Amino acid sequence: MSDPTYRAGFDAALETAINTALQYDPATRTRLQALDGTVMALDLSAPTLQCCLCIEGDQVRVRQHWAGDVTTSIRCSAISLVRLLKDSDATPAALGVSISGSSALLAELQWIMSDLDIDWEAPLAQLFGDIPAHSIGNALRSAGSWLSASLSRAPVAAAETISEEWQLTPPQAQFEAFADDLSELSLATERLEARVRLLQAQFSRGEAE
Amino acid sequence: MKDRKTTHFGYQEVPVEEKAGRVAEVFHSVAARYDVMNDLMSGGIHRLWKRFTIELSGARPGQKILDIAGGTGDLTARFSRIVGASGQVVLADINESMLRVGRDRLLDRGIAGNVVPVQADAQYLPFPDNTFDCITIAFGLRNVTDKDLALRSMLRVLKPGGRLLVLEFSKPESKLLEKVYDQYSFRLLPFMGKLVADDAESYRYLAESIRMHPDQETLKQMMADAGFVDCEFHNMTGGIVALHRGIKP
C-alpha cells in the first residue's frame, strides 16, 4: 500500500486549487452554497482515482474516505467527466458515464460549470495593481486566442509543409485527382472486361449455330 | 524512596507524580509558538497526517467527537465543520496554556457554537460512559504518564462502535531513514527550537519522548489489551508517524 501522506498531499493540492479558483468567482460560490451538504463520489478510470467531493458552504472538500451519505456516485473516465461538466448539453449515456443516486446534483454542477467565470485578473491585481493586471490580462487573452487559432490551423499547416516544402507526400489536390483517375480507370477496365466477356459469349454462340 | 514508582520523561527516569508537571512545563513554554514550530519541524507535513486522521475518523454530521490533547485546535476546527451545528466537538487538553491558545484561535477563526473546550487529563476523562462517537489524540499519547490507563479511559467514554484514532510519532520502517531522522531530531530540532522559540530543552524532550514511545506493533497490542477490537495502524511518511485505529466493541 502506498504511503497515505502522498495521497493526502494530492487531495490537499486539488482542494486548494479548486477553492482558490472559486475565490475569484463569487457567483459560483453563491450557487455552491445552495448545494451545501451534498457529496459526489467519483470512481474515475484513466487515470484511476476514487474520491469524494463534499460541498461544505461555498467550498469543495476533496476526500479519499467518506463514511457519510453520498448524494451522487459517478463512474467514468476522467476525460468523459470533464466533457460532461463542460458541456451542459452532453448526456451521460453518450459519454459512457454511469450514475447512481440523484442526478439532480450532476445537472446542477453542469449548469454551474457552464457559467463558470473565474476572474483571473483579481489575483494579479492584488500583486501588481489594477492597471498592470488588466494589461497583463489583455496580453494573456491575446496570447490565448492566438494559441487557440494556431492550434486549430496546425493540422492544415503541417500537411502543407509535409507535401509542399518537404515533398514527402503529394499535395492533397494532386492525390485526389490521381485517386479519381485511378477509380475511373478501374471502372473502365471492369466495363471492358464485361464487354469482352459478352463478345466471347456471342462468338461462341455463332460458332455453335 | 526505593519503592517509589518511576516513569520516563524523555530519556530521564522521574517519579510518576512528577511527569505530568514536567510535561506541563514543556507545553507552557512552547504554547505560543507551537503552530509555527510544527510547520517548521515537519515542513508542513503534519497537516497531511492530520488530514488522513480526519478521513479515517469517519466523522459525520451530528456526531460527538472528543479531540484529546487537542492543543491549538487543528483537528477540532476540521471536525467542527464536519459535524455541523447538530454535532459537538470537545477540545480537551491537560495543559491550560495550550487550551487557551486553541480556544482563542478557534474563536478568532469564527469557529464556535459546536465546540466546547475542556481542561482534562486523558487518564481520567471527566465524561459519562458511552458519550462519544469518535476520539482522536494527535501527538499527545506519548506525553501521558500511564498510557494503558488513558486508553481504558478513552474506551469507557466511547460509544459502542465508536472509533479511537491515535496519531503519534513512531518507528521509521527503513534503517536509513531512521539514521537520517535521528540526526535531524537530535541535532537540527533542538537548534531550531533554540532559534525560533528560544527553548532548545523542550525540543530535545520532544525528540527523546518520541524514541521512548511504543512502536507500531506494541501500541496496537496495548490498544487490544485495553479492550479495543479491529485494531490496525497505517504508517505515514515511512513510519515516522503512525495512525492507529481501534473500535469499541
Side-chain angles (χ1 to χ4, degrees), chain A residues 142-154:
Chain A
S142 303
S145 54
W146 175 82
L147 189 67
S148 165
S150 301
L151 285 175
S152 65
R153 279 202 313 269

Side-chain angles (χ1 to χ4, degrees), chain B residues 10-68:
Chain B
Y11 285 165
Q12 300 172 41
E13 281 291 316
V14 297
V16 164
E17 59 276 14
E18 270 184 30
K19 176 165 175 173
R22 296 185 70 165
V23 170
E25 276 173 33
V26 168
F27 282 91
H28 280 309
S29 163
V30 302
R33 303 262 178 136
Y34 188 75
D35 286 333
V36 178
M37 280 304 292
N38 271 353
D39 277 332
L40 202 62
M41 289 184 307
S42 70
I45 297 175
H46 74 100
R47 293 171 193 278
L48 302 181
W49 298 332
K50 287 171 183 167
R51 187 185 175 96
F52 185 63
T53 306
I54 298 273
E55 293 213 352
L56 247 58
S57 72
R60 278 179 283 170
Q63 289 193 331
K64 269 189 104 169
I65 313 277
L66 172 62
D67 178 15
I68 303 176

Side-chain angles (χ1 to χ4, degrees), chain B residues 11-245:
Chain B
Y11 285 165
Q12 300 172 41
E13 281 291 316
V14 297
V16 164
E17 59 276 14
E18 270 184 30
K19 176 165 175 173
R22 296 185 70 165
V23 170
E25 276 173 33
V26 168
F27 282 91
H28 280 309
S29 163
V30 302
R33 303 262 178 136
Y34 188 75
D35 286 333
V36 178
M37 280 304 292
N38 271 353
D39 277 332
L40 202 62
M41 289 184 307
S42 70
I45 297 175
H46 74 100
R47 293 171 193 278
L48 302 181
W49 298 332
K50 287 171 183 167
R51 187 185 175 96
F52 185 63
T53 306
I54 298 273
E55 293 213 352
L56 247 58
S57 72
R60 278 179 283 170
Q63 289 193 331
K64 269 189 104 169
I65 313 277
L66 172 62
D67 178 15
I68 303 176
T72 52
D74 271 3
L75 289 177
T76 296
R78 292 182 176 98
F79 278 131
S80 165
R81 277 199 300 262
I82 295 173
V83 301
S86 56
Q88 190 183 54
V89 187
V90 176
L91 169 64
D93 204 301
I94 193 171
N95 190 281
E96 187 200 344
S97 303
M98 293 292 286
L99 197 62
R100 193 182 302 128
V101 171
R103 185 197 57 192
D104 292 350
R105 212 181 71 159
L106 290 172
L107 284 173
D108 291 349
R109 291 167 65 187
I111 297 164
N114 63 354
V115 174
V116 182
V118 172
Q119 189 172 2
D121 184 341
Q123 300 167 115
Y124 311 101
L125 291 167
F127 306 104
D129 297 359
N130 309 321
T131 303
F132 296 99
D133 297 287
C134 175
I135 296 179
T136 57
I137 176 165
F139 306 113
L141 191 63
R142 69 176 190 285
N143 298 313
V144 175
T145 308
D146 188 338
K147 296 173 184 61
D148 295 311
L149 183 60
L151 289 171
R152 286 198 298 274
S153 177
M154 293 174 208
L155 184 79
R156 182 182 64 77
V157 300
L158 261 182
K159 288 178 187 172
R163 305 174 191 200
L164 167 68
L165 289 115
V166 181
L167 179 66
E168 192 51 271
F169 290 106
S170 206
K171 193 174 167 57
E173 294 164 294
S174 124
K175 288 282 169 204
L176 180 67
L177 180 62
E178 195 172 358
K179 279 186 180 154
V180 174
Y181 183 48
D182 274 348
Q183 292 298 315
Y184 170 76
S185 306
F186 290 106
R187 290 177 188 272
L188 199 58
L189 208 60
F191 175 71
M192 287 199 297
K194 174 76 186 157
L195 211 65
V196 178
D198 194 22
D199 183 3
E201 279 311 306
S202 294
Y203 288 92
R204 187 164 293 115
Y205 161 73
L206 173 72
E208 290 177 3
S209 65
I210 290 168
R211 299 309 183 281
M212 297 304 290
H213 187 67
D215 65 15
Q216 288 90 331
E217 287 296 343
T218 310
L219 180 55
K220 184 179 160 187
Q221 189 55 49
M222 284 167 69
M223 287 172 67
D225 291 345
F228 288 94
V229 296
D230 295 335
C231 298
E232 57 173 8
F233 65 85
H234 299 264
N235 279 328
M236 289 190 272
T237 320
I240 288 177
V241 162
L243 176 64
H244 283 73
R245 183 169 65 168

Side-chain angles (χ1 to χ4, degrees), chain A residues 25-61:
Chain A
D25 187 357
T28 298
R29 285 211 318 270
T30 308
R31 284 181 186 176
L32 271 183
Q33 247 167 353
L35 302 174
D36 182 28
T38 54
V39 177
M40 180 181 275
L42 297 177
D43 182 358
L44 301 182
S45 57
T48 307
L49 178 73
Q50 281 94 32
C51 68
C52 287
L53 302 178
C54 308
I55 300 173
E56 288 178 14
D58 61 358
Q59 305 253 299
V60 177
R61 305 278 163 213

